[in-house]
Amino acid sequence: MEIIVIVVLVVVLAGAALFFYQRQRSGQLQNRFGPEYDHAVEESGDKRAAERDLRERQRRVAKLDVPPLTGATAERYRAEWNQVQAGFVDEPGQAVEDADRLVLRMLREAGYPVDEFDQRVNDISVDHPEVAEHYRAAHQVAVARDRGEADTEELRQAVTAYRQLVDALLTDHDNSKEQA
Protein backbone atom coordinates (compact mmCIF):
# COMPACT_ATOMS: atom_id res chain seq x y z
CA MET A 1 0.00 0.00 0.00
CA GLU A 2 2.84 2.40 0.82
CA ILE A 3 4.38 1.80 -2.59
CA ILE A 4 1.13 2.79 -4.32
CA VAL A 5 0.96 6.01 -2.29
CA ILE A 6 4.58 6.80 -3.10
CA VAL A 7 4.04 6.12 -6.82
CA VAL A 8 0.92 8.30 -6.87
CA LEU A 9 2.74 11.04 -5.00
CA VAL A 10 5.68 10.91 -7.44
CA VAL A 11 3.30 11.07 -10.42
CA VAL A 12 1.43 14.03 -8.91
CA LEU A 13 4.68 15.85 -8.13
CA ALA A 14 6.03 15.17 -11.62
CA GLY A 15 2.79 16.45 -13.13
CA ALA A 16 2.93 19.60 -10.99
CA ALA A 17 6.58 20.17 -11.92
CA LEU A 18 5.75 19.78 -15.60
CA PHE A 19 2.80 22.16 -15.27
CA PHE A 20 4.93 24.86 -13.59
CA TYR A 21 7.75 24.34 -16.09
CA GLN A 22 5.36 24.84 -19.02
CA ARG A 23 3.86 27.93 -17.38
CA GLN A 24 7.33 29.35 -16.87
CA ARG A 25 8.25 28.71 -20.53
CA SER A 26 4.99 30.31 -21.65
CA GLY A 27 5.67 33.32 -19.45
CA GLN A 28 9.18 33.69 -20.87
CA LEU A 29 7.82 33.60 -24.43
CA GLN A 30 5.10 36.13 -23.55
CA ASN A 31 7.70 38.47 -22.05
CA ARG A 32 10.08 37.99 -24.98
CA PHE A 33 7.55 38.41 -27.77
CA GLY A 34 4.92 40.67 -26.20
CA PRO A 35 2.11 41.39 -28.66
CA GLU A 36 3.67 39.00 -31.18
CA TYR A 37 2.96 36.16 -28.74
CA ASP A 38 -0.74 37.05 -28.80
CA HIS A 39 -0.67 37.32 -32.59
CA ALA A 40 0.92 33.87 -32.92
CA VAL A 41 -1.64 32.30 -30.56
CA GLU A 42 -4.53 33.99 -32.34
CA GLU A 43 -3.22 33.05 -35.77
CA SER A 44 -2.66 29.38 -34.94
CA GLY A 45 -5.65 28.97 -32.65
CA ASP A 46 -3.50 26.69 -30.50
CA LYS A 47 -1.29 28.02 -27.71
CA ARG A 48 1.10 25.06 -27.79
CA ALA A 49 1.52 25.26 -31.57
CA ALA A 50 2.08 29.01 -31.35
CA GLU A 51 4.71 28.55 -28.66
CA ARG A 52 6.44 25.88 -30.74
CA ASP A 53 6.44 28.29 -33.68
CA LEU A 54 7.92 31.11 -31.56
CA ARG A 55 10.68 28.85 -30.22
CA GLU A 56 11.41 27.72 -33.79
CA ARG A 57 11.66 31.37 -34.86
CA GLN A 58 14.22 31.95 -32.13
CA ARG A 59 16.27 28.94 -33.23
CA ARG A 60 16.12 30.01 -36.88
CA VAL A 61 17.20 33.61 -36.21
CA ALA A 62 19.95 32.44 -33.84
CA LYS A 63 21.50 30.67 -36.85
CA LEU A 64 21.40 33.84 -38.98
CA ASP A 65 24.20 36.36 -39.06
CA VAL A 66 22.28 39.57 -38.29
CA PRO A 67 24.85 42.22 -37.37
CA PRO A 68 23.77 45.82 -36.78
CA LEU A 69 24.12 48.17 -39.72
CA THR A 70 27.50 49.90 -39.99
CA GLY A 71 27.89 53.61 -39.27
CA ALA A 72 28.02 54.85 -42.84
CA THR A 73 25.23 52.53 -43.91
CA ALA A 74 23.02 53.59 -41.01
CA GLU A 75 23.56 57.26 -41.84
CA ARG A 76 22.73 56.62 -45.50
CA TYR A 77 19.51 54.88 -44.49
CA ARG A 78 18.60 57.72 -42.11
CA ALA A 79 19.00 60.18 -44.99
CA GLU A 80 16.96 57.97 -47.34
CA TRP A 81 14.24 57.62 -44.73
CA ASN A 82 14.07 61.40 -44.33
CA GLN A 83 13.57 61.67 -48.11
CA VAL A 84 10.79 59.08 -48.00
CA GLN A 85 8.98 60.99 -45.29
CA ALA A 86 9.41 64.31 -47.07
CA GLY A 87 8.09 62.76 -50.28
CA PHE A 88 4.87 61.70 -48.59
CA VAL A 89 3.42 65.21 -48.87
CA ASP A 90 3.50 65.25 -52.66
CA GLU A 91 3.27 61.52 -53.46
CA PRO A 92 1.86 59.46 -50.57
CA GLY A 93 1.55 56.28 -52.63
CA GLN A 94 5.09 56.57 -53.91
CA ALA A 95 6.32 57.18 -50.35
CA VAL A 96 4.77 53.88 -49.23
CA GLU A 97 6.38 52.06 -52.15
CA ASP A 98 9.73 53.70 -51.38
CA ALA A 99 9.40 52.87 -47.68
CA ASP A 100 8.66 49.22 -48.49
CA ARG A 101 11.72 49.00 -50.76
CA LEU A 102 13.93 50.81 -48.25
CA VAL A 103 12.93 48.44 -45.44
CA LEU A 104 13.58 45.47 -47.70
CA ARG A 105 17.08 46.74 -48.51
CA MET A 106 17.81 47.44 -44.85
CA LEU A 107 16.70 43.96 -43.83
CA ARG A 108 18.75 42.35 -46.58
CA GLU A 109 21.84 44.30 -45.57
CA ALA A 110 21.28 43.47 -41.90
CA GLY A 111 21.33 39.79 -42.81
CA TYR A 112 17.69 38.79 -42.75
CA PRO A 113 16.47 36.49 -45.54
CA VAL A 114 13.96 38.58 -47.49
CA ASP A 115 12.53 36.23 -50.10
CA GLU A 116 9.12 35.59 -48.53
CA PHE A 117 7.19 38.19 -46.54
CA ASP A 118 5.68 35.93 -43.86
CA GLN A 119 9.06 34.38 -43.08
CA ARG A 120 10.65 37.83 -43.08
CA VAL A 121 8.19 39.24 -40.56
CA ASN A 122 8.51 36.11 -38.40
CA ASP A 123 12.29 36.53 -38.38
CA ILE A 124 12.00 40.22 -37.52
CA SER A 125 9.63 39.38 -34.67
CA VAL A 126 12.46 37.64 -32.81
CA ASP A 127 14.61 40.76 -32.54
CA HIS A 128 11.82 43.35 -32.82
CA PRO A 129 8.53 41.84 -31.63
CA GLU A 130 7.15 45.29 -30.89
CA VAL A 131 7.20 46.29 -34.57
CA ALA A 132 6.29 43.02 -36.31
CA GLU A 133 2.56 43.77 -36.33
CA HIS A 134 3.22 47.30 -37.61
CA TYR A 135 5.30 45.84 -40.42
CA ARG A 136 2.48 43.45 -41.34
CA ALA A 137 0.00 46.33 -41.42
CA ALA A 138 2.29 48.56 -43.48
CA HIS A 139 2.95 45.80 -45.99
CA GLN A 140 -0.77 45.11 -46.27
CA VAL A 141 -1.36 48.76 -47.16
CA ALA A 142 1.50 48.64 -49.69
CA VAL A 143 -0.19 45.67 -51.37
CA ALA A 144 -3.56 47.48 -51.30
CA ARG A 145 -1.88 50.57 -52.74
CA ASP A 146 -0.58 48.50 -55.67
CA ARG A 147 -4.20 47.52 -56.39
CA GLY A 148 -5.33 51.15 -56.05
CA GLU A 149 -7.29 50.36 -52.87
CA ALA A 150 -5.53 52.47 -50.21
CA ASP A 151 -6.63 55.94 -49.19
CA THR A 152 -4.33 58.71 -47.99
CA GLU A 153 -4.94 58.02 -44.30
CA GLU A 154 -4.02 54.36 -44.75
CA LEU A 155 -0.91 55.41 -46.65
CA ARG A 156 0.02 57.77 -43.81
CA GLN A 157 -0.43 54.99 -41.27
CA ALA A 158 1.72 52.68 -43.41
CA VAL A 159 4.57 55.19 -43.57
CA THR A 160 4.32 55.62 -39.79
CA ALA A 161 4.45 51.84 -39.34
CA TYR A 162 7.44 51.50 -41.67
CA ARG A 163 9.17 54.25 -39.68
CA GLN A 164 8.88 52.12 -36.55
CA LEU A 165 10.76 49.27 -38.23
CA VAL A 166 13.36 51.63 -39.71
CA ASP A 167 13.86 53.16 -36.25
CA ALA A 168 14.24 49.69 -34.69
CA LEU A 169 16.89 48.68 -37.24
CA LEU A 170 18.74 51.96 -36.79
CA THR A 171 18.49 51.59 -33.01
CA ASP A 172 20.32 48.26 -33.35
CA HIS A 173 23.15 50.25 -34.93
CA ASP A 174 23.03 52.92 -32.23
CA ASN A 175 23.01 50.31 -29.44
CA SER A 176 25.96 48.45 -30.96
CA LYS A 177 27.96 51.73 -30.98
CA GLU A 178 27.24 52.25 -27.28
CA GLN A 179 28.40 48.73 -26.44
CA ALA A 180 31.64 49.07 -28.40
Side-chain angles (χ1 to χ4, degrees):
M1 184 67 163
E2 287 180 22
I3 293 177
I4 294 173
V5 170
I6 291 172
V7 169
V8 168
L9 185 59
V10 167
V11 169
V12 167
L13 288 175
L18 180 62
F19 172 77
F20 286 113
Y21 173 73
Q22 288 176 333
R23 276 191 64 181
Q24 180 183 14
R25 280 181 62 177
S26 293
Q28 288 171 339
L29 285 170
Q30 285 176 311
N31 287 337
R32 171 85 170 86
F33 282 94
E36 187 63 16
Y37 177 92
D38 297 331
H39 175 81
V41 170
E42 183 180 316
E43 181 125 319
S44 76
D46 177 10
K47 182 178 172 181
R48 293 180 107 182
E51 289 181 355
R52 244 187 335 271
D53 174 58
L54 293 171
R55 285 190 298 275
E56 178 53 38
R57 290 181 197 184
Q58 287 179 303
R59 282 190 289 276
R60 175 182 158 77
V61 170
K63 293 176 186 176
L64 300 175
D65 182 23
V66 183
L69 299 169
T70 64
T73 302
E75 290 310 312
R76 186 182 79 234
Y77 284 132
R78 277 190 215 314
E80 283 187 58
W81 179 253
N82 290 336
Q83 289 177 331
V84 168
Q85 286 188 126
F88 180 82
V89 174
D90 294 327
E91 295 284 337
Q94 186 63 49
V96 168
E97 183 178 330
D98 293 346
D100 192 57
R101 276 197 243 126
L102 176 64
V103 163
L104 195 62
R105 286 194 346 263
M106 290 177 77
L107 291 171
R108 182 177 291 121
E109 190 156 344
Y112 289 98
V114 296
D115 295 335
E116 198 263 317
F117 178 78
D118 289 332
Q119 185 63 59
R120 186 168 63 235
V121 76
N122 286 346
D123 290 346
I124 291 163
S125 75
V126 173
D127 294 326
H128 302 288
E130 70 284 355
V131 298
E133 189 60 34
H134 297 290
Y135 185 35
R136 279 188 197 92
H139 184 73
Q140 198 170 29
V141 171
V143 170
R145 178 239 176 233
D146 290 344
R147 293 188 308 254
E149 299 172 357
D151 65 29
T152 304
E153 178 57 21
E154 291 169 322
L155 297 171
R156 185 192 67 74
Q157 290 173 0
V159 169
T160 300
Y162 279 121
R163 182 181 64 219
Q164 291 178 0
L165 181 54
V166 168
D167 287 347
L169 294 169
L170 291 174
T171 298
D172 286 349
H173 161 72
D174 296 340
N175 289 340
S176 72
K177 277 192 336 192
E178 291 173 8
Q179 294 173 358

